[in-house]
Amino acid sequence: MAVSIHTLLIRIDTDDGLDQLAALQKTIEDDARLLILAFSSAQPDQLVNLMPWVEALWPMATVAGAYGPQIIHQGEISENTLLLQFMTFERTDLRLNYLRWEGDDRELGERLFDPVCRADSRLALTFLGAQHGDVPALTHWVNRHYPNLALIGGCSVNEGGGWLYADGQFLDHHALTITLSNETLDVVTQSYSEWHLIGPTWSVTKAVGNTLYELDQQSAQALYARYLTETFADDRLASGAQPDEVRYENFPLMRVNDKQHTLSVPLRRLDDGGLIMSTPLLEGDRVRFAYSHPSMTLEQVNRGAESLHQRRPELILSFNCASRQRFDREETERELQPFQTMAPLSGVFCYGELMHQKGRTQLLQHSLVTVAIAEDPAAERPMPVLERHALAPLFRLIQASVEDLDQVNRNLEDDIRRTTQELLRKLETDSLTGLANRVALLQCLRDDDPWPIVQICSLKINNLRQINNLYGYSVGDQLLRSLSASIQTDITELLPTTALVFRGSPNEFLVVAPDACPMNSFYKGMAQLTERMQNQSDLFSDKVVQNVLPILLTAGTAHRSELPPDMTHSTEDLLIKASEARRHAYRHQLPIARAIDLPGTDRGKRDGLNWLSRIRTALGSGDILPYVQPLFDRQGQVHHVEALMRVRHDGVVYSPASFLDLVKPTQLYPRLSMVMIDETFRLMKPHKVGFTLNFTARDLANEALIDRLKYWLKGGVDAERVTLEIVESDSLRNFDRFTYILHELRRLGCKLAIDDFGSAYSNLERVMRLKPDWIKLDGSLIRHLVDSEVNRILVRRVVQLCQDLHIRAVAEHVHDQATLSILMGMGVDFFQGFYLAEPTPAETFNVHKLRQPGTDYEESFA
């Protein structure tokens, strides 16, 4: 044999460990190709007197070890022991590397594997000692960079503790790997666990990280209790009663909406109803209960042993999941016996097993993993007698029955899906013309992708009723079918891009086109279509109709850019506006009209429509930008900034003065506010300064907006850094309601500021009831402070009022040195304006670069 193998099992509670090592030294020579693996369920303080002797007696060897709750030695399970596996290779080079588990997965992968991996590296025995490390990310990196490297081992740490060993020291929160490099080294990896998928399919409806809370809006603990224990009612769970004892870890959840069928094992129950899972589950994942009986694994082991026997391995290492520890130890040993009879077998139980197969490594759970190694084929041994479990046929029968039931369910789902699709097709299809109808059009408008509809033409037959009354409904129906076919044919000639035809109502056709068709080209094509239809009297032939049949048509078009600001831009807006244009054409005896030609539309409104289009585009492209402008205290220091909205379009950044009044009446406004909240909190979170967000009455009335603000105040940043600045305070008509909302927000820790105070006194008493922390002086008073004695008197009185009420006074629009000096003399607390600092992007904000020494206004702050 090319690989020389020895094992030593030392009981920790005896004193003859050193004697056993000394005796073994006479048998095993020190060698650079000697690998010594140490596995033990003992703690480092019990091994500290033994492991240094291993290093001392074989100084040239590679020595590494890992903790496990149970040890596998010659196919048998042991505890409170130290297993030493000595493997001397003839042609295989060994390299050891270990490091602390820190940094991202790319850095960890490079630092752990690159120094020890070669082109001929076949196997990496890897042990992980990080309880919360991102193992899937690390294995993904290895799969990408070393797809032919068999990564085998496991996690050696859980909440109960654990350790790794290398270079004479016990390691905590580390990763360790030993690579075996030899291009002819034969490595065979196998994993064994067979699962029944049982019970219904659940959707994950609430999960945070590795904690699962709800399946189909039901408590995860309650569902486990319901399915795995006897007579455990929901009211008992609600009353705090504990479920009957059951090993939840034996019933993991398997994701069935991906090809990997990843297992997530329940590890621990929480008092809040959650379950700590071995791997994260995402909301929306589809899962089912899974169960593996020992008989099923034994059947797999038998098949694996039959195939492995042909390879004649020299040694086998086994890594078994700690969740598979059974009260009946013989059950586990029975699974290992086929491997022990064909090669020396040792190993350890882990808290997650690394398995490599078909160029891919993944972290398994509740599985038995083996790696068979040979430099040269071992001497041929007789095929072991494989034991068959008595319950195996029963579980095969159960499995087949479940699969049959699943197939019945799938067939039923397919039938329901086909029936639903047929009903939807009938619902969305006009039976007379075969065209999609108005229901289908509205669905297209809602989808808006990948063929966004931006313009519609409403084409109506004005005399269809007269034709039906004069010639009968059969002639009218034939006319509609002929018109439908003619319109579909003609639009391919009249329009530069693809367009679709729908039947909107009994006497109406709708032609829709994407933005790839220019608005003017679409209008021109529809005008030509209308003229062509009215000039064709031979659209159909019918013996009943002897004379020329006149067809009276009227059309109206609407483009999304033509919608006025006061429309909600819902899915029916285009239809409404196209119908209005058509009725306008009918009343004025025109063949066709455009929405933009309706009375009351002028250039100013067109410009407003353009701005709404720009805002909508900016929301989709991430061009809503928070800027910040600092507030200086009386010493010239900056501890607070105000967040201001900006919009970027074609490389130019615009202030709200260009668009805000146009946007406020529309549904775009709350979306702008939501983006400002999210982006401001995200960008300002790393900074130490406080920041202000502007809120209007319209914002305070938006429940979704307030909920988002509460979310950030509770967990985004320290709430004491946040100030809510109420602008347009005169518009707080529902004062009691807004007072309650602001009170709720301030209870979370944020401050309150009132903007433009001093511009009107009608709301003075109400504003004071809000008990603001800051008052911002009206900018119109500050702009003319130097020239107006009246303004100076008003500002002085407001500042005095603030001082009497212990409210901080803030002066904005500070535009020159003279204004700053006057405000300093009045006792204003904070100053803001272009003279001191202009607004800058929050993304590049740096408080330390705001003011350089030697600026003109430094002396005023002294």
Side-chain angles (χ1 to χ4, degrees):
M1 294 177 63
V3 183
S4 176
I5 304 163
H6 296 82
T7 60
L8 177 61
L9 189 67
I10 302 174
R11 293 202 61 82
I12 302 303
D13 53 5
T14 62
D15 297 328
D16 62 347
L18 294 179
D19 295 335
Q20 294 182 61
L21 287 173
L24 195 62
Q25 186 196 21
K26 300 175 182 178
T27 305
I28 303 175
E29 295 184 3
D30 190 23
D31 193 297
R33 287 178 171 165
L34 170 61
L35 173 61
I36 306 175
L37 293 179
F39 300 125
S40 180
S41 57
Q43 295 303 315
D45 59 350
Q46 298 173 283
L47 304 173
V48 70
N49 293 326
L50 287 174
M51 291 307 300
W53 282 101
V54 177
E55 301 268 359
L57 294 174
W58 292 277
M60 296 176 61
T62 298
V63 183
Y67 168 83
Q70 289 184 324
I71 309 303
I72 303 169
H73 175 237
Q74 296 180 355
E76 297 182 352
I77 310 301
S78 68
E79 297 172 348
N80 201 30
T81 56
L82 169 64
L83 171 66
L84 295 173
Q85 175 82 47
F86 296 81
M87 297 165 280
T88 303
F89 293 88
E90 183 178 296
R91 303 184 303 276
T92 301
D93 293 333
L94 307 172
R95 291 186 177 185
L96 167 68
N97 192 24
Y98 61 93
L99 48 82
R100 281 194 62 80
W101 191 291
E102 55 190 8
D104 60 30
D105 61 292
R106 180 186 62 81
E107 293 175 349
L108 185 63
E110 288 180 356
R111 291 165 49 222
L112 182 62
F113 290 99
D114 280 350
V116 294
C117 287
R118 307 187 320 205
D120 61 345
S121 296
R122 299 297 312 281
L123 175 64
L125 295 172
T126 304
F127 302 96
L128 308 174
Q131 178 183 346
H132 301 295
D134 192 352
V135 179
L138 178 63
T139 59
H140 179 71
W141 186 93
V142 176
N143 294 335
R144 202 166 60 245
H145 293 84
Y146 296 101
N148 297 321
L149 180 69
L151 194 66
I152 297 294
C155 299
S156 300
V157 172
N158 78 338
E159 295 179 354
W163 48 264
L164 302 179
Y165 181 86
D167 277 353
Q169 54 186 325
F170 291 91
L171 306 171
D172 180 31
H173 205 74
H174 274 65
L176 177 155
T177 190
I178 309 124
T179 57
L180 282 66
S181 301
N182 174 3
E183 62 182 8
T184 62
L185 186 69
D186 189 25
V187 176
V188 181
T189 60
Q190 294 176 315
S191 65
Y192 306 95
S193 63
E194 187 171 342
W195 296 94
H196 282 309
L197 291 178
I198 51 180
T201 300
W202 307 99
S203 291
V204 177
T205 52
K206 184 179 180 181
V208 180
N210 279 54
T211 305
L212 172 66
Y213 288 100
E214 290 182 1
L215 296 171
D216 281 1
Q217 281 83 41
Q218 302 178 61
S219 165
Q221 282 195 31
L223 277 178
Y224 264 92
R226 173 187 171 191
Y227 280 89
L228 302 181
T229 62
E230 294 183 6
T231 62
F232 192 82
D234 290 342
D235 55 351
R236 287 185 58 203
L237 187 68
S239 67
Q242 294 298 317
D244 301 332
E245 187 60 33
V246 64
R247 292 177 65 90
Y248 281 14
E249 65 271 18
N250 289 338
F251 297 88
L253 295 174
M254 180 177 287
R255 282 206 300 263
V256 296
N257 55 336
D258 61 14
K259 295 181 180 180
Q260 300 176 16
H261 285 191
T262 307
L263 284 172
S264 190
V265 182
L267 302 179
R268 182 162 54 90
R269 294 193 288 265
L270 300 178
D271 294 338
D272 61 1
L275 290 172
I276 299 294
M277 309 298 289
S278 61
T279 56
L281 289 170
L282 303 178
E283 293 182 4
D285 280 346
R286 305 278 287 169
V287 297
R288 292 181 70 179
F289 288 122
Y291 177 65
S292 176
H293 189 269
S295 65
M296 301 156 61
T297 307
L298 187 60
E299 288 295 299
Q300 275 199 338
V301 166
N302 289 340
R303 292 194 297 270
E306 289 174 348
S307 63
L308 189 59
H309 181 262
Q310 307 299 323
R311 304 292 285 266
R312 293 157 57 186
E314 294 181 287
L315 67 99
I316 300 174
L317 297 175
S318 171
F319 303 100
N320 211 337
C321 186
S323 65
R324 303 183 76 248
Q325 294 177 243
R326 302 190 177 98
F327 296 111
D328 184 1
R329 182 176 295 180
E330 294 181 359
E331 196 74 58
T332 303
E333 293 177 345
R334 187 181 296 120
E335 296 174 352
L336 301 174
Q337 283 306 310
F339 302 113
Q340 173 61 30
T341 56
M342 75 177 65
L345 173 69
S346 63
V348 66
F349 280 73
C350 303
Y351 299 101
E353 313 77 60
L354 295 170
M355 173 61 190
H356 179 90
Q357 199 167 28
K358 297 180 180 179
R360 182 175 177 273
T361 297
Q362 64 182 122
L363 180 68
L364 303 179
Q365 297 286 347
H366 208 76
S367 300
L368 166 64
V369 171
T370 62
V371 53
I373 306 172
E375 282 192 324
D376 296 316
E380 187 170 357
R381 298 188 181 188
M383 181 67 193
V385 177
L386 302 177
E387 182 178 353
R388 305 293 176 179
H389 200 289
L391 291 178
L394 172 61
F395 278 94
R396 289 293 174 200
L397 176 62
I398 294 174
Q399 187 177 36
S401 300
V402 172
E403 290 175 354
D404 289 344
L405 181 59
D406 287 344
Q407 186 60 50
V408 170
N409 289 334
R410 285 192 293 269
N411 293 340
L412 181 59
E413 289 175 356
D414 290 341
D415 290 342
I416 293 174
R417 187 179 302 108
R418 283 192 296 269
T419 302
T420 302
Q421 290 174 347
E422 179 63 22
L423 290 174
L424 287 175
R425 188 190 65 79
K426 292 180 178 179
L427 175 67
E428 297 179 353
T429 304
D430 175 48
S431 59
L432 178 63
T433 62
L435 293 174
N437 59 20
R438 188 186 184 92
V439 175
L441 174 58
L442 292 176
Q443 187 61 47
C444 288
L445 290 169
R446 292 187 188 100
D447 292 343
D448 204 42
D449 185 68
W451 204 78
I453 296 170
V454 300
Q455 47 199 344
I456 294 180
C457 175
S458 171
L459 190 68
K460 190 170 185 179
I461 309 169
N462 299 317
N463 60 336
L464 180 62
R465 179 181 298 178
Q466 289 86 346
I467 293 174
N468 286 331
N469 292 336
L470 183 59
Y471 297 105
Y473 283 96
S474 60
V475 174
D477 290 347
Q478 185 178 347
L479 170 63
L480 291 172
R481 285 192 291 266
S482 300
L483 275 175
S484 168
S486 182
I487 293 173
Q488 292 180 80
T489 301
D490 289 347
I491 60 173
T492 60
E493 174 190 341
L494 299 175
L495 296 179
T497 62
T498 301
L500 300 178
V501 184
F502 297 80
R503 188 180 181 192
S505 63
N507 59 342
E508 179 189 29
F509 292 95
L510 300 168
V511 182
V512 303
D515 53 5
C517 180
M519 181 171 61
N520 291 334
S521 298
F522 181 75
Y523 174 75
K524 181 179 179 181
M526 293 300 97
Q528 291 175 334
L529 176 66
T530 304
E531 182 180 1
R532 182 177 296 185
M533 293 297 101
Q534 297 207 104
N535 291 336
Q536 290 182 357
S537 58
D538 56 349
L539 284 173
F540 66 96
S541 59
D542 194 287
K543 295 180 180 179
V544 177
V545 182
Q546 302 294 333
N547 303 317
V548 173
L549 180 62
I551 303 172
L552 304 180
L553 298 175
T554 305
T557 66
H559 190 278
R560 185 170 292 180
S561 65
E562 298 174 337
L563 296 180
D566 57 347
M567 296 196 78
T568 60
H569 290 221
S570 67
T571 55
E572 295 197 32
D573 284 350
L574 279 173
L575 283 173
I576 293 172
K577 215 60 185 174
S579 298
E580 288 181 6
R582 175 179 47 75
R583 286 192 292 270
H584 174 78
Y586 180 77
R587 285 193 300 267
H588 293 81
Q589 299 181 347
L590 300 172
I592 189 170
R594 296 183 298 181
I596 202 170
D597 296 327
L598 295 176
T601 302
D602 55 20
R603 183 174 182 84
K605 290 186 178 180
R606 295 187 191 184
D607 292 341
L609 290 172
N610 290 335
W611 258 115
L612 292 177
S613 178
R614 293 173 184 176
I615 296 299
R616 185 181 292 107
T617 301
L619 283 166
S621 61
D623 285 323
I624 307 300
L625 311 175
Y627 271 50
V628 293
Q629 187 175 22
L631 280 69
F632 291 83
D633 64 13
R634 295 181 64 82
Q635 287 73 42
Q637 301 299 316
V638 174
H639 303 286
H640 204 91
V641 298
E642 180 181 3
L644 302 167
M645 183 190 301
R646 297 292 186 267
V647 170
R648 182 170 53 206
H649 175 69
D650 288 343
V652 179
V653 177
Y654 295 89
S655 72
S658 303
F659 58 83
L660 198 57
D661 289 339
L662 296 169
V663 174
K664 280 183 180 179
T666 73
Q667 291 182 344
L668 295 177
Y669 179 74
R671 293 175 60 188
L672 284 175
S673 299
M674 193 74 77
V675 170
M676 274 296 294
I677 290 176
D678 289 339
E679 288 299 293
T680 301
F681 273 91
R682 181 181 68 84
L683 294 172
M684 294 307 298
K685 185 175 182 179
H687 299 287
K688 302 299 183 183
V689 299
F691 57 94
T692 295
L693 283 165
N694 292 323
F695 271 71
T696 66
R698 185 178 277 102
D699 295 321
L700 294 174
N702 189 317
E703 293 183 6
L705 211 63
I706 298 302
D707 288 342
R708 181 65 61 88
L709 182 60
K710 289 180 179 178
Y711 164 81
W712 280 108
L713 291 175
K714 290 177 181 178
V717 301
D718 183 1
E720 292 184 354
R721 291 175 52 197
V722 182
T723 299
L724 307 180
E725 182 173 325
I726 307 303
V727 298
E728 305 173 6
S729 55
D730 283 333
S731 63
L732 298 179
R733 295 183 179 89
N734 193 348
F735 194 78
D736 292 336
R737 177 189 177 191
F738 291 131
T739 302
Y740 174 78
I741 293 172
L742 292 172
H743 175 68
E744 288 292 305
L745 294 172
R746 295 182 76 181
R747 279 198 344 184
L748 298 177
C750 66
K751 298 180 177 63
L752 178 64
I754 301 297
D755 186 39
D756 289 343
F757 191 83
S759 60
Y761 288 94
S762 59
N763 64 343
L764 177 61
E765 185 270 336
R766 291 194 306 167
V767 169
M768 288 300 102
R769 279 168 51 195
L770 294 176
K771 298 180 181 179
D773 300 280
W774 296 5
I775 289 291
K776 293 191 77 173
L777 305 174
D778 179 40
S780 62
L781 298 176
I782 304 301
R783 290 190 193 96
H784 304 288
L785 192 66
V786 175
D787 304 326
S788 173
E789 178 65 24
V790 174
N791 283 14
R792 290 195 293 273
I793 293 173
L794 289 174
V795 171
R796 188 178 298 111
R797 296 286 175 82
V798 173
V799 173
Q800 183 62 51
L801 176 64
C802 290
Q803 292 171 347
D804 292 342
L805 296 175
H806 305 290
I807 299 173
R808 299 292 185 90
V810 182
E812 57 184 352
H813 297 287
V814 178
H815 57 282
D816 57 24
Q817 180 63 46
T819 303
L820 177 61
S821 299
I822 294 173
L823 293 168
M824 288 284 293
M826 291 180 177
V828 173
D829 298 289
F830 296 100
F831 311 90
Q832 182 182 14
F834 276 41
Y835 174 64
L836 304 175
E838 296 186 12
T840 59
E843 191 168 14
T844 59
F845 171 72
N846 187 336
V847 69
H848 301 294
K849 295 183 179 180
L850 284 175
R851 184 168 59 86
Q852 301 299 325
T855 49
D856 294 339
Y857 50 85
E858 274 194 322
E859 294 183 0
S860 297
F861 288 127

